[in-house]
């Protein structure tokens, strides 16, 4: 059976409802219940962990028996497991729903299979309606399910010769206003921003996302400070509207490829509902995530300036040890975007399908 115009309209409405729910550990899901004639009987969406799922939220607005023979339009395959709430597939069966149309299959191991359960119960099931729109809505959540951790963007700014700061540690500013504005816009799209304690102590970084006029974006990433040294009482990060997390960075910054501290930080952030992490903590932090293979995207802001090493030989490269001791070990990236920002250049890249090359270079 093909989907009807009423079902298409209901799915678009369900997607709009889903977007009203909070983004976090659980997916944003919306549901619309249609009568056999195609009229809207009830609507619902998931309002956060521990609350009724979208299907149950919609069903709760109907009188007993009112859903008999009705159609449920849902943005994600009804769940098939018992967590804080019961399985939605069983709730739909118990309500007498005759047909279910959902946009995306649930990719999670413990929740998928609701479609099959409904079919086994005699319900007519269709999938894939408005799938692209649903995937776009759930992009961050789906990424977390695929990776098993938050998506990580590693950012740095550098001179044309690859320095992140002068010999004395000063770095404000290597790049210009347009590049800095782009960074803040991208911060506002993240759920968490990670920096090292050194960045806090040297730069007094606020770790906020700010408009060019200094006002704050409505959405602020959660600041995460890595390192055991104490954040000073007057540090700007202490005034962050979301507070901040601090975790011991012991061994995170060493040269030990087997260290899993970066992964444990990401695991904790995932449990907190973080889906996108923006790593902006200086060469040591950036190198730690790259070395551990935990960078899904790299942003390099390159300024047309030269810094070199200091007269005493001190040097501040944009990256430090990332586990490359021979050219065969180089970390190959695939270029996805180039953009000029004022006088600076933004290079966006992702890990290549193969990070090694057999090409002979001369």
């Amino acid at each position: 059976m093909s989907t009807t115009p009423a079902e298409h309209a209901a799915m678009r409405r369900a997607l709009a409802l889903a977007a009203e729910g909070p983004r976090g550990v659980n997916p944003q899901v919306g549901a619309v219940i249609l009568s056999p004639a195609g009229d809207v009987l009830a609507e619902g969406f998931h309002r956060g962990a521990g609350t009724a799922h979208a299907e149950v939220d919609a069903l709760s607005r109907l009188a007993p028996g009112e859903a008999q023979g009705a159609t449920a339009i849902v943005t994600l395959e009804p769940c098939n497991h018992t967590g804080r709430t019961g399985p939605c597939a069983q709730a739909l069966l118990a309500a007498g729903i005759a047909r279910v149309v959902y946009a995306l299959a649930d990719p999670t191991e413990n929740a998928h299979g609701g479609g099959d359960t409904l079919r086994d119960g005699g319900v007519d099931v269709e999938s894939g309606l408005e799938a692209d729109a649903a995937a776009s809505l759930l992009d961050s959540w789906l990424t977390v399910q695929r990776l098993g951790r938050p998506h990580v963007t590693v950012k740095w700014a550098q001179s044309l010769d690859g320095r992140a700061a002068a010999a004395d540690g000063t770095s404000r500013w290597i790049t210009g206003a347009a590049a800095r504005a782009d960074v803040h816009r991208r911060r506002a799209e993240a759920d968490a921003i990670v920096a090292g304690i050194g960045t806090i102590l040297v730069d007094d970084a606020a770790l906020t996302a700010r408009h060019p006029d200094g006002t704050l974006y409505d959405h602020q990433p959660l600041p995460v400070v890595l390192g055991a040294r104490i954040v000073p009482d007057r540090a700007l990060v202490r005034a962050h509207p979301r507070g901040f997390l601090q975790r011991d960075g012991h061994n995170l910054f060493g040269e030990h490829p087997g260290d899993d501290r970066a992964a444990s930080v990401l695991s904790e952030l995932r449990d907190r509902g973080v889906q996108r992490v923006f790593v902006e903590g200086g060469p040591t932090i950036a190198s730690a995530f790259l070395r551990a293979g935990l960078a899904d995207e790299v942003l390099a802001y390159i300024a047309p300036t030269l810094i070199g090493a200091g007269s005493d030989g001190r040097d501040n490269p944009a990256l430090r040890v990332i586990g490359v001791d021979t050219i065969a070990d180089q970390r190959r990236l695939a270029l996805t975007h180039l953009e000029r920002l004022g006088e600076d250049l933004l290079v966006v890249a992702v890990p290549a399908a193969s990070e090694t090359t057999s090409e002979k270079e001369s």
Side-chain angles (χ1 to χ4, degrees):
M1 177 179 178
S2 60
T3 51
T4 67
E7 290 171 345
H8 278 263
M11 183 63 80
R12 290 191 291 271
R13 174 58 181 163
L15 288 165
L17 289 166
E20 296 183 23
R23 192 173 71 173
V25 175
N26 295 322
Q28 295 166 291
V29 182
V32 174
I33 309 297
L34 297 178
S35 72
D39 299 320
V40 175
L41 296 176
E43 299 177 339
F45 66 93
H46 185 48
R47 291 169 168 79
T51 66
H53 288 189
E55 303 93 317
V56 175
D57 185 42
L59 290 171
S60 70
R61 304 175 192 286
L62 299 176
E66 195 176 356
Q68 191 71 37
T71 295
I73 308 295
V74 194
T75 57
L76 186 67
E77 180 184 13
C79 69
N80 201 39
H81 81 297
T82 299
R84 296 187 187 181
T85 59
C88 292
Q90 294 298 333
L92 292 168
L93 287 171
I97 291 290
R99 176 170 163 81
V100 171
V101 179
Y102 64 84
L104 288 178
D106 193 318
T108 57
E109 183 176 354
N110 63 342
H112 80 282
D116 289 339
T117 295
L118 290 164
R119 290 187 185 92
D120 292 343
V123 175
D124 181 41
V125 178
E126 291 271 350
S127 63
L129 181 60
E130 298 287 348
D132 288 346
S136 178
L137 173 70
L138 293 177
D139 175 58
S140 294
W141 181 80
L142 290 170
T143 297
V144 172
Q145 307 318 306
R146 176 174 57 83
L147 296 174
R149 58 165 175 77
H151 179 277
V152 175
T153 294
V154 175
K155 168 265 173 184
W156 67 82
Q158 66 172 63
S159 62
L160 195 60
D161 58 342
R163 267 66 179 189
D168 64 355
T170 56
S171 60
R172 293 188 177 183
W173 296 102
I174 290 177
T175 54
R180 296 197 298 273
D182 188 74
V183 170
H184 281 274
R185 178 183 64 80
R186 293 173 185 272
R187 282 185 184 183
E189 295 173 350
D191 300 312
I193 179 170
V194 176
I197 186 64
T199 296
I200 301 301
L201 297 176
V202 174
D203 294 339
D204 195 17
L207 302 186
T208 51
R210 303 183 295 278
H211 295 286
D213 65 2
T215 58
L216 298 181
Y217 277 88
D218 290 339
H219 175 73
Q220 291 293 317
L222 172 69
V224 181
V225 179
L226 300 181
R229 285 180 289 175
I230 296 173
V231 175
D233 291 342
R234 294 186 179 181
L236 290 176
V237 73
R238 288 195 177 275
H240 195 286
R242 295 191 61 184
F244 70 96
L245 293 179
Q246 184 172 10
R247 294 295 178 263
D248 184 3
H250 179 65
N251 284 337
L252 176 64
F253 315 132
E255 300 175 9
H256 310 292
D259 182 74
D260 63 354
R261 188 61 57 88
S264 69
V265 169
L266 292 179
S267 178
E268 178 184 354
L269 291 177
R270 178 190 174 177
D271 291 343
R272 288 175 173 267
V274 168
Q275 297 179 6
R276 292 192 176 273
V277 172
F278 198 72
V279 176
E280 194 184 356
T284 300
I285 294 288
S287 299
F289 278 84
L290 288 165
R291 186 172 61 246
L294 296 174
D296 305 299
E297 180 182 55
V298 166
L299 306 179
Y301 293 85
I302 304 172
T305 188
L306 301 174
I307 296 176
S311 57
D312 59 358
R314 286 186 297 170
D315 200 2
N316 284 304
L319 291 178
R320 297 193 176 147
V321 176
I322 61 170
V324 176
D325 292 317
T326 179
I327 198 65
D329 296 333
Q330 62 185 295
R331 304 295 183 95
R332 282 288 183 182
L333 302 175
L335 191 65
T336 61
H337 182 68
L338 276 174
E339 183 177 356
R340 184 167 178 171
L341 299 167
E343 294 299 313
D344 305 317
L345 181 67
L346 168 62
V347 177
V348 183
V350 298
S354 173
E355 293 185 351
T356 61
T357 178
S358 59
E359 296 176 0
K360 299 295 183 180
E361 299 179 356
S362 60

